[in-house]
Amino acid sequence: FKMGSGPKSLWRYTANTQTGTVTKECLFDSASCAFGVINTDAVSAQEHQFIFMCVASSKDGPPQGVARFDCRTGSISQWMPAKHEFCGEPMFAPREGSFEEEDDGYILTVMLDGKRRESHLLVFDAKNISPGPISRVPLGTLFPHGLHGCFARDATWPSDTIERRSKLADKMESRGNMWNEVKSDFSGLGLRLDDIEEYFPGWFS
């Protein structure tokens, strides 16, 4: 990892709409960090106090733990898993019915266990990251480290829909080396628009 990736730090860019200038400020560089997120329901495109991110144990290590950075005080609280475990991009999930406090919610992340070759969904109290996850859900399979995602409040799909979409994803993955041959009707991948309609009903209606 050290040979193929440089250290990553947290920066803030400020755009002055009056002068048309942009300034930047390093907020955190004590350890490598990545995938910073905020509570977009509460402070999207507004001043925010808290940033949640993946953090490494050193400046040149891979992202492993989850951290909460306070932009006002510069303080950071974090939780680190075992050496063979790696947390992915954190996702903020607002607490149901919460509209006032910026950090009133949960942090979700998919953690890869490299020793057992399996993944877990971890849930943290966004107000108190350092004690560790308040829930750990085995996913029954291995998800690659670095998987991106977001929390979607209304994304409640039935199991058969998830299964259909998973089959399409597997089909497309098996033809991943053919993307340069793809036409607008997906025929380059051996897929038809009917396939898409089967797995994603209503998309083209």
Side-chain angles (χ1 to χ4, degrees):
F1 183 87
K2 293 180 182 180
M3 296 293 292
S5 179
K8 300 172 180 63
S9 48
L10 180 65
W11 290 76
R12 166 176 283 168
Y13 287 77
T14 303
N16 188 320
T17 57
Q18 301 297 319
T19 63
T21 59
V22 177
T23 58
K24 65 178 183 178
E25 172 191 8
C26 182
L27 300 180
F28 176 78
D29 63 356
S30 299
S32 186
C33 58
F35 306 134
V37 298
I38 61 173
N39 177 357
T40 55
D41 279 19
V43 290
S44 180
Q46 302 177 51
E47 181 181 0
H48 51 270
Q49 181 175 357
F50 302 110
I51 297 175
F52 303 91
M53 57 190 180
C54 284
V55 65
S57 57
S58 64
K59 288 189 175 184
D60 54 8
Q64 274 193 277
V66 176
R68 162 189 158 121
F69 182 80
D70 189 322
C71 297
R72 295 178 185 170
T73 66
S75 62
I76 186 169
S77 58
Q78 64 184 37
W79 174 80
M80 296 296 292
K83 291 183 178 181
H84 58 274
E85 297 174 329
F86 303 87
C87 291
E89 179 179 18
M91 297 160 274
F92 190 93
R95 191 185 306 274
E96 189 70 28
S98 173
F99 301 101
E100 296 183 0
E101 295 181 85
E102 180 184 335
D103 58 347
D104 190 10
Y106 306 93
I107 295 298
L108 314 178
T109 183
V110 176
M111 186 189 73
L112 167 66
D113 185 329
K115 181 179 291 185
R116 295 182 176 84
R117 297 188 61 78
E118 60 186 25
S119 297
H120 293 77
L121 174 66
L122 306 185
V123 182
F124 296 81
D125 180 349
K127 291 179 178 290
N128 198 14
I129 294 291
S130 55
I134 58 177
S135 181
R136 182 185 297 237
V137 183
L139 296 177
T141 188
L142 184 148
F143 286 87
H145 186 229
L147 180 71
H148 292 289
C150 64
F151 174 75
R153 189 189 302 274
D154 299 320
T156 53
W157 298 304
S159 59
D160 62 322
T161 299
I162 295 174
E163 185 175 355
R164 286 199 306 270
R165 296 183 180 184
S166 177
K167 287 180 180 178
L168 177 62
D170 289 342
K171 197 171 185 179
M172 296 176 79
E173 179 68 21
S174 68
R175 294 166 172 79
N177 62 340
M178 299 171 60
W179 278 111
N180 289 335
E181 304 173 28
V182 177
K183 299 178 181 179
S184 59
D185 61 356
F186 293 93
S187 60
L189 289 177
L191 300 173
R192 299 169 292 108
L193 286 177
D194 290 347
D195 291 325
I196 310 299
E197 178 62 28
E198 176 186 350
Y199 299 124
F200 295 87
W203 270 33
F204 299 98
S205 59

